[in-house]
Amino acid sequence: MGRKPNVFVRIWNFYLEGFRNMTWGRTLWLIIIIKLCVLFLVLRVFFFQPVLSGQNDEQKAETVSGNLIEKGD
């Protein structure tokens, strides 16, 4: 009587064996990774621009406090 592996190990093995047996598994993972990279690059470039870059600590503090005061009103 063997001991049952941990539930997380069984879940991991379930998905691992599932993707091994898929004929398109590696291609699908490659497509998923490329889509995530493109998504994060687009979000980074257009939505999460570094507003505080090039400022010293005092300027950063003033910018952050100014934004907090504006949003608080």
Side-chain angles (χ1 to χ4, degrees):
M1 304 262 333
R3 194 172 161 200
K4 260 184 155 178
N6 185 0
V7 67
F8 296 111
V9 173
R10 286 187 285 161
I11 291 171
W12 172 257
N13 287 333
F14 173 77
Y15 282 103
L16 184 67
E17 290 300 319
F19 280 109
R20 276 189 188 158
N21 293 328
M22 289 177 65
T23 56
W24 288 87
R26 291 186 180 163
T27 306
L28 289 174
W29 274 111
L30 182 65
I31 292 171
I32 290 169
I33 290 171
I34 290 171
K35 285 178 71 175
L36 286 174
C37 289
V38 169
L39 179 72
F40 284 119
L41 288 175
V42 167
L43 287 175
R44 172 77 169 110
V45 169
F46 292 110
F47 296 108
F48 300 117
Q49 296 176 355
V51 176
L52 301 176
S53 66
Q55 297 179 356
N56 62 22
D57 289 340
E58 187 175 318
Q59 292 171 331
K60 288 179 183 179
E62 289 178 13
T63 303
V64 171
S65 66
N67 285 337
L68 288 174
I69 291 170
E70 286 179 15
K71 298 210 180 207
D73 291 337

